[in-house]
Amino acid sequence: MPYSLSRRCRWIVSALGVWFCAAATFMPTARAQITPGDGVPSRIYFNTFPLYFDGDYRNALSAFLSEGRGGIKTATSQWIDSICYFTMAGESYYQMGNLPAALDSYNSALKLYVAFSDWMMRVQFPLVIPPAITGTVRATPWGQSKRGARIGQFSETFLMGQGRIDNSAAVFRGGVVQQAVLFPVHAAEIVRCTSLAIRRRRELMGPVCKFDSLTNDLIDVLSRRPGPPNHWSEAWVSVQLGCAYAAAGNAAQANTALQRGVLAAGEYDHPLTSTALLELGRLALEAGDFPAAARYFEETTYACINFPNLGNLEEAFRFGFLAHQLLNQRTPYPLLSPAIAWSKAQGYRQLQASLLLLAAENMAVLGDTAQATSLLNNARQVVGRTDLAISQLSARLNHLTALVSYQANNVNAGDQALAQALAFQRNGSLWMFQIALADRRYMGGDFSDRVGMILYDTLLRDPTPADWASNPLECLSLLSTPHGAVLEHWFEAALKNSKEHELALEIADRARRHRFFSTLELGGRLLALRWILEGPPELLTERAMLQRQDLLARYPKYQQLSQQAAKIRAQLAAKPVVEEAIDARRDQAGKLASLADTSQSQEVLLREIAVRHEPAEMIFPPLRKTRDVQQSLPEGQVLLAFFATSRGTYAFLYSRDKYAAWHINSPAQLQKQISTMLREIGNFEQNHEITPNDLARTNWQTTAAKVMSLLLEKSNVDLAGKFEEIVIVPDGALWYLPFEALFVGKGEHQKSLISQSRVRYAPTVGLAIPYGRSQKPRPNIGVVLGKLHPQDDEKVALAAFEQLS
């Protein structure tokens, strides 16, 4: 590397380049001027890292933003030093859960990279890499690398020429001669931040990232290999390209590029080795190759020591522990204990707190509640009053506190901690951010209908076993957060294509189901577990039965409680519902109390399972394919389903071999006529007694005809056809409409719907058809008689019951 100029001389040359704008293409501010020993990015930038890794995110953010404002400026924009300022500002936002601001920062960094993608061509890299000096290679207390790679020796900065290098054209043709200015650049840091911005942007955007134009721009410029050809620095280009391929969803190409980037010159570890190994581990994890993922993450931890990278180190431990769990290792993660001691000795607060949380989760999974509680208390002390208390790490802390509290049978503490974790997730959830991002981009016209449908289908899925295995808190956030408006947009997108009407009906049912789940605790997660563990086997899918088998094997205590409850119920069922003898009543009361205690213990255990990495299929209400529903309709039965959105009401009519779909043109007028009809048949208020005179009126029939006309307007549907039963799935105001009283047919052939066929209601399309293998339940039913009207005699209620029984 040419270091012929002294530092003093380089400073003079650099300063001249600042003052004579004809000699350089940028105009630095005073803050950006390079002083002896400095480089770009600035010394203040590097001095801010201790704040960041100590969890002081707000002050770190302020410093990174300040350096960005004072960074080097070209004639049209900021320069490559701002890649670092933007990226680390994005990291600060990311940790605090401000995901929109984080994404904006990463986008700004990468747009600068695309604009100056050839910057490495101007760097005066040495031709060869010397090996690290003996005695400078650091050992790690938690293990030793098995890769056998050598550690390379890399300078902290490299000289870079900025300005016009070849002035021959200006000399011969006339013009300003622009001499190149040489100054030191922290090249590895700029590459690290570029790679980090690409990686984190992929994490934030999820499946949206592959359809984004900036992702394609990054692949385009990096595919040109913008660096010295046939040079060791190509490894740095390969790392960035591998990250870009991963962001575009091209796992095979990402693997190839990242493998090429692990070693510089084919033999040396370098400052970006840990990034390459970390991304290879992420790709292996996503592919389900957990042994390979575990090896990559462990090797990442070693690579982070000789070329310090605390961010990669924390992620490597976190994902390494996840791989350890996914391999079903029922042992402590061996790297954690020595790593915790090391991080404490080094004073790395953020890393220490994260490792303590991993150890606490490890102990909780192994059933050592006391040790898990102790580790959580230690983590809480490390977090203290720093900004870690308002960060993603705090959400993890609260989530684990809920798990350990449920294990300790402290439901109130568990519920409070889980509520705090989910409160952070309302803004900090990656999954919910991706849903909002995809919806905003599609509704804003950035994506085609085809891309929009792909993204909605991907992001609005039920959590899969892989989702629960990787991040249960994200899954709970999805289930607990209403997103009905996005489902409506998906539904409307499907209606644009006449070939997607079947899918539109499925989306409408998914939206109805989501509304129901939104009213339940943890968004239906507890209901799903109850169905898996206690539902009739004939109603469970094959996958659900396997999940039951696995859960009962993992939680034998629940199986014991379930058997105990079943035994008590059998004993109660064998006795009369109303016991005559006093001793029998006492025995019955004791059994009922015992059943209540057993059920309560089951519920506490269900809460523990709910916050863990355990998959549980959302079985009820069932989601059925429209084609399967149609084929299940017997001859003589039709299905009439409605879906009310914030912008309209839609109807679907299906028989076994035909279907129709239409938009109800006047939903406001329809609702008004329904209200009028209800009043005309005597439905004035809850205490109004319907008299014989009310029943004798017929004016409601005219309104009923208007209602039917509004329902079927411009639909080409005639419900006067021959069918034995109509199954109705109402929505919105239509839940209040007595469809049986509507009139079908015309003129003298007009008759009420109930006189033509049976009418049945269902809350969802999935529940409109019976379960194929289900048996009709035969419950023990008790009836408590009361007065139908305050002035009635008790004999009236008894007579009514005898008639119904």
Side-chain angles (χ1 to χ4, degrees):
M1 188 167 76
Y3 277 107
S4 57
L5 288 176
S6 67
R7 290 191 175 188
R8 177 67 175 167
C9 291
R10 291 201 307 270
W11 159 239
I12 293 173
V13 172
S14 179
L16 287 173
V18 171
W19 287 106
F20 296 101
C21 58
T25 60
F26 61 93
M27 289 292 292
T29 65
R31 180 183 296 249
Q33 290 180 13
I34 304 164
T35 58
D38 270 355
V40 291
S42 68
R43 180 180 294 173
I44 296 175
Y45 165 82
F46 286 104
N47 289 342
T48 303
F49 277 84
L51 287 176
Y52 175 83
F53 287 114
D54 201 48
D56 191 354
Y57 297 127
R58 283 176 287 197
N59 282 329
L61 173 63
S62 178
F64 290 134
L65 292 176
S66 177
E67 287 305 287
R69 288 190 293 270
I72 296 173
K73 305 294 192 300
T74 72
T76 57
S77 71
Q78 291 161 297
W79 196 52
I80 60 172
D81 58 326
S82 288
I83 293 175
C84 300
Y85 308 141
F86 279 127
T87 297
M88 292 312 301
E91 285 292 278
S92 303
Y93 284 127
Y94 169 80
Q95 295 293 346
M96 292 187 290
N98 190 344
L99 303 187
L103 182 58
D104 287 343
S105 296
Y106 299 131
N107 283 339
S108 296
L110 294 175
K111 287 175 182 176
L112 280 176
Y113 173 76
V114 171
F116 298 98
S117 58
D118 64 344
W119 70 269
M120 285 179 61
M121 302 290 290
R122 300 168 181 261
V123 177
Q124 296 185 2
F125 292 114
L127 294 178
V128 296
I129 304 170
I133 300 173
T134 304
T136 62
V137 177
R138 302 184 182 97
T140 54
W142 53 83
Q144 186 175 358
S145 173
K146 301 175 181 63
R147 292 169 41 243
R150 303 172 69 188
I151 307 299
Q153 182 179 343
F154 295 82
S155 174
E156 183 180 340
T157 59
F158 300 96
L159 289 179
M160 176 180 177
Q162 178 65 13
R164 184 177 294 163
I165 297 174
D166 182 5
N167 285 283
S168 57
V171 171
F172 287 104
R173 299 176 187 173
V176 178
V177 176
Q178 297 182 347
Q179 296 297 328
V181 179
L182 294 175
F183 57 93
V185 173
H186 293 274
E189 177 63 12
I190 295 172
V191 176
R192 183 194 75 85
C193 286
T194 304
S195 302
L196 177 57
I198 298 171
R199 290 176 47 235
R200 199 69 82 204
R201 185 172 176 273
R202 174 198 178 204
E203 184 179 345
L204 285 176
M205 299 182 73
V208 182
C209 195
K210 67 183 294 185
F211 299 106
D212 185 80
S213 60
L214 181 54
T215 304
N216 296 327
D217 292 341
L218 288 166
I219 292 176
D220 182 48
V221 297
L222 285 164
S223 297
R224 301 174 198 163
R225 315 294 301 180
N230 303 316
H231 188 263
W232 61 260
S233 62
E234 284 192 306
W236 292 3
V237 177
S238 294
V239 172
Q240 297 171 92
L241 179 59
C243 294
Y245 276 136
N250 299 329
Q253 291 174 291
N255 264 296
T256 301
L258 290 167
Q259 292 287 0
R260 293 176 61 183
V262 170
L263 297 175
E267 59 177 323
Y268 291 109
D269 272 3
H270 55 89
L272 274 298
T273 293
S274 65
T275 297
L277 292 171
L278 182 61
E279 276 301 285
L280 285 167
R282 294 287 300 270
L283 291 171
L285 198 65
E286 292 166 7
D289 190 351
F290 306 138
R295 291 192 298 271
Y296 280 127
F297 293 133
E298 182 177 351
E299 289 292 345
T300 303
T301 67
Y302 305 136
C304 287
I305 299 304
N306 282 289
F307 298 100
N309 190 323
L310 289 180
N312 283 358
L313 185 60
E314 189 275 335
E315 286 191 67
F317 277 121
R318 182 152 42 90
F319 287 113
F321 172 67
L322 177 59
H324 180 80
Q325 282 191 300
L326 294 174
L327 285 168
N328 201 24
Q329 301 291 321
R330 309 296 293 178
T331 57
Y333 186 42
L335 278 60
L336 283 179
S337 182
I340 290 171
W342 177 81
S343 64
K344 181 179 180 181
Q346 298 293 322
Y348 298 147
R349 184 193 297 269
Q350 182 194 45
L351 177 62
Q352 183 188 356
S354 180
L355 293 175
L356 285 168
L357 293 183
L358 296 178
E361 183 175 2
N362 204 169
M363 291 299 102
V365 169
L366 296 176
D368 192 341
T369 306
Q371 182 65 12
T373 302
S374 176
L375 288 164
L376 283 177
N377 290 335
N378 291 343
R380 205 170 280 111
Q381 290 176 1
V382 173
V383 168
R385 297 184 178 180
T386 68
D387 289 343
L388 290 172
I390 58 169
S391 72
Q392 289 185 348
L393 190 140
S394 178
R396 288 171 54 201
L397 173 61
N398 285 318
H399 176 227
L400 289 174
T401 299
L403 168 60
V404 175
S405 298
Y406 293 142
Q407 278 191 340
N409 204 32
N410 191 343
V411 175
N412 289 336
D415 288 347
Q416 291 175 10
L418 186 58
Q420 291 174 349
L422 292 174
F424 176 87
Q425 290 291 102
R426 278 196 285 272
N427 293 317
S429 166
L430 291 171
W431 198 339
M432 292 308 303
F433 177 73
Q434 290 161 13
I435 289 174
L437 178 65
D439 185 54
R440 184 172 65 251
R441 297 285 296 273
Y442 171 70
M443 296 300 290
D446 292 347
F447 296 140
S448 66
D449 291 339
R450 181 189 67 83
V451 170
M453 294 297 288
I454 292 172
L455 291 174
Y456 283 135
D457 183 60
T458 302
L459 290 168
L460 295 174
R461 67 187 184 275
D462 284 346
T464 65
D467 294 326
W468 286 110
S470 62
N471 198 327
L473 185 56
E474 281 290 336
C475 296
L476 290 171
S477 302
L478 173 79
L479 295 176
S480 303
T481 306
H483 43 268
V486 184
L487 284 160
E488 289 182 10
H489 297 162
W490 185 17
F491 171 82
E492 291 164 354
L495 282 182
K496 289 182 179 180
N497 188 342
S498 60
K499 296 180 180 179
E500 300 283 5
H501 283 175
E502 291 184 3
L503 176 60
L505 184 59
E506 294 168 21
I507 297 168
D509 223 36
R510 189 180 289 271
R512 273 187 283 265
R513 191 168 169 265
H514 173 66
R515 292 178 201 158
F516 170 63
F517 286 150
S518 297
T519 67
L520 303 179
E521 201 169 9
L522 299 186
R525 168 71 163 166
L526 292 173
L527 177 66
L529 285 168
R530 292 188 192 105
W531 267 90
I532 291 290
L533 292 168
E534 301 290 347
E538 64 270 14
L539 302 187
L540 302 184
T541 63
E542 184 177 346
R543 184 168 71 174
M545 288 300 297
L546 289 174
Q547 289 174 357
R548 170 183 286 189
Q549 180 179 328
D550 187 52
L551 286 172
L552 292 178
R554 287 177 180 270
Y555 303 94
K557 182 181 177 182
Y558 185 90
Q559 188 169 21
Q560 295 171 4
L561 291 169
S562 183
Q563 292 170 349
Q564 183 179 339
K567 182 179 179 181
I568 297 172
R569 285 195 297 268
Q571 292 172 348
L572 289 169
K575 300 290 183 67
V577 175
V578 180
E579 295 281 7
E580 298 294 337
I582 295 178
D583 290 344
R585 290 181 185 177
R586 288 175 180 169
D587 180 65
Q588 183 185 57
K591 285 184 171 59
L592 288 171
S594 178
L595 180 61
D597 290 341
T598 303
S599 299
Q600 182 61 33
S601 298
Q602 286 179 288
E603 285 296 310
V604 174
L605 192 48
L606 278 182
R607 290 180 117 73
E608 177 190 341
I609 299 172
V611 298
R612 290 179 61 163
H613 294 258
E614 307 293 357
E617 193 172 349
M618 310 294 285
I619 296 172
F620 183 88
L623 275 178
R624 304 184 193 270
K625 293 289 185 183
T626 301
R627 187 163 298 179
D628 294 339
V629 171
Q630 190 172 12
Q631 292 175 352
S632 299
L633 293 173
E635 293 292 340
Q637 187 181 82
V638 296
L639 171 69
L640 179 59
F642 298 92
F643 182 56
T645 74
S646 58
R647 286 176 293 278
T649 302
Y650 303 84
F652 301 84
L653 182 67
Y654 276 83
S655 66
R656 189 176 180 84
D657 54 1
K658 297 179 181 180
Y659 82 91
W662 67 97
H663 175 231
I664 294 175
N665 294 320
S666 306
Q669 183 65 21
L670 174 62
Q671 185 170 342
K672 180 179 178 180
Q673 292 298 326
I674 291 173
S675 299
T676 301
M677 177 182 170
L678 291 174
R679 285 195 302 270
E680 289 174 348
I681 60 177
N683 191 3
F684 291 98
E685 57 183 20
Q686 60 184 1
N687 291 324
H688 176 72
E689 181 179 358
I690 298 180
T691 65
N693 290 335
D694 291 330
L695 296 175
R697 293 173 182 165
T698 59
N699 57 335
W700 61 269
Q701 296 179 7
T702 302
T703 308
K706 292 180 181 178
V707 169
M708 181 60 88
S709 176
L710 289 170
L711 283 174
L712 303 181
E713 186 180 7
K714 297 182 180 179
S715 67
N716 296 321
V717 168
D718 184 7
L719 292 181
K722 295 181 180 179
F723 50 87
E724 299 173 4
E725 183 180 57
I726 181 169
V727 185
I728 300 173
V729 183
D731 202 15
L734 295 176
W735 271 111
Y736 300 95
L737 175 63
F739 282 84
E740 296 89 337
L742 299 182
F743 284 85
V744 297
K746 297 179 180 179
E748 59 184 24
H749 300 292
Q750 194 176 57
K751 56 184 176 180
S752 64
L753 187 60
I754 189 63
S755 65
Q756 172 180 286
S757 64
R758 297 189 304 273
V759 177
R760 179 163 61 87
Y761 294 91
T764 70
V765 171
L767 291 171
I769 58 175
Y771 286 92
R773 296 172 292 168
S774 64
Q775 297 179 358
K776 188 175 181 179
R778 297 180 180 179
N780 293 324
I781 299 175
V783 179
V784 178
L785 298 179
K787 294 182 179 181
L788 300 178
H789 192 274
Q791 298 177 352
D792 283 347
D793 188 85
E794 292 181 358
K795 294 180 180 179
V796 175
L798 181 61
F801 167 71
E802 289 175 349
Q803 182 179 3
L804 290 172
S805 65

